[in-house]
Amino acid sequence: MADIKTYMYLIGSHIKVVRNSRHVSQETLAHTVGISRAYMGFIEQGRNMPRVEVLINISEALNVTLSQLVDYNWTPAECDIEYQSDKVLYNER
């Protein structure tokens, strides 16, 4: 079983992957969620583990479920297919 620092890194990295798949800047996501850009950066780097309410806000802002957001085996491509008809505001493709 991995330690907490490994999970923090994996979850943070996955948040970044999902954010980038949505073409959302770190600053825009941080503003939408109500946290600083620096704190968002620390989350993505695995340096901070956000509270559950912050994870929920991130998942809602990126239009994914909380379980998808923290499941580093789930790929954003699945999300693009699943939410294709939802016209995600953050997806500027």
Side-chain angles (χ1 to χ4, degrees):
M1 183 173 184
D3 66 11
I4 189 68
K5 290 187 182 279
T6 300
Y7 286 118
M8 288 169 54
Y9 173 78
L10 291 170
I11 290 169
S13 296
H14 193 251
I15 289 170
K16 182 176 181 177
V17 167
V18 175
R19 176 179 61 77
N20 285 332
S21 78
R22 294 290 192 230
H23 304 282
V24 178
S25 71
Q26 194 177 68
E27 185 174 359
T28 298
L29 180 58
H31 177 76
T32 301
V33 172
I35 60 176
S36 71
R37 191 218 45 84
Y39 184 57
M40 179 60 71
F42 289 152
I43 292 169
E44 290 183 354
Q45 294 167 20
R47 294 171 59 188
N48 284 86
M49 178 56 76
R51 296 182 319 270
V52 172
E53 71 180 271
V54 173
L55 287 172
I56 291 169
N57 291 340
I58 292 170
S59 70
E60 289 175 352
L62 295 174
N63 200 19
V64 296
T65 66
L66 181 57
S67 62
Q68 289 170 326
L69 186 69
V70 298
D71 179 2
Y72 44 85
N73 293 312
W74 174 83
T75 61
E78 295 170 16
C79 178
D80 290 340
I81 294 167
E82 186 175 341
Y83 291 108
Q84 189 171 18
S85 63
D86 283 27
K87 306 290 185 208
V88 178
L89 295 177
Y90 301 107
N91 193 345
E92 300 174 0
R93 287 188 234 183

